[in-house]
Amino acid sequence: RKRFLPEDDEKLLSAIRERQVAGVKVSWGAVADKLASKTKSQCLRRWRYLAKTQASSVSDILADKEILFGNSTPHWSREEDYKLLSGIS
C-alpha cells in the first residue's frame, strides 16, 4: 500500500473542491477516480485525517456541510464540529 504523497493530497482536495464548485455531494468513488492508485476507502480515510490534522487549510470544505452530507441535515453545530475534529472533549 502506497503512502499519500503531497501531490496526492493536492489531487484529493482538488477533486473534493471540484464537487463543491459543482454543488454536488462528495462521491468518494469519483474522488478516487482522480487518484488512479487510491481506493475510495483510502481517499475517505485520508480526507478524515486531513480534516483532523489540517482543519485550517480545509476549512472551506468543512464549512460546506451539504457537499459532505448531501441533503441530510447534520446534527452538529460548528462548535461541535471543531471539538470533534480537534479532539477536544
Side-chain angles (χ1 to χ4, degrees):
R1 189 162 78 163
K2 292 184 182 179
R3 299 179 70 142
F4 270 78
L5 301 173
E7 301 84 40
D8 296 324
D9 287 344
E10 289 175 24
K11 288 179 186 178
L12 175 75
L13 295 176
S14 175
I16 294 170
R17 287 189 174 108
E18 282 177 21
R19 306 223 21 118
Q20 183 178 27
V21 169
V24 294
K25 182 181 175 190
V26 172
S27 160
W28 295 107
V31 170
D33 288 344
K34 303 283 184 174
L35 289 93
S37 64
K38 306 297 182 197
T39 67
K40 65 183 181 180
S41 295
Q42 289 171 318
C43 290
L44 176 57
R45 266 184 270 149
R46 186 62 177 183
W47 160 249
R48 288 178 177 160
Y49 172 80
L50 292 173
K52 181 178 179 181
T53 62
Q54 299 176 22
S56 62
S57 66
V58 296
S59 61
D60 60 316
I61 298 169
L62 290 170
D64 193 348
K65 292 181 181 182
E66 188 162 322
I67 67 150
L68 296 173
F69 301 105
N71 292 331
S72 61
T73 306
H75 302 287
W76 301 93
S77 68
R78 285 184 184 251
E79 182 181 328
E80 290 169 324
D81 284 344
Y82 174 79
K83 287 179 179 180
L84 179 67
L85 293 171
S86 61
I88 299 172
S89 56

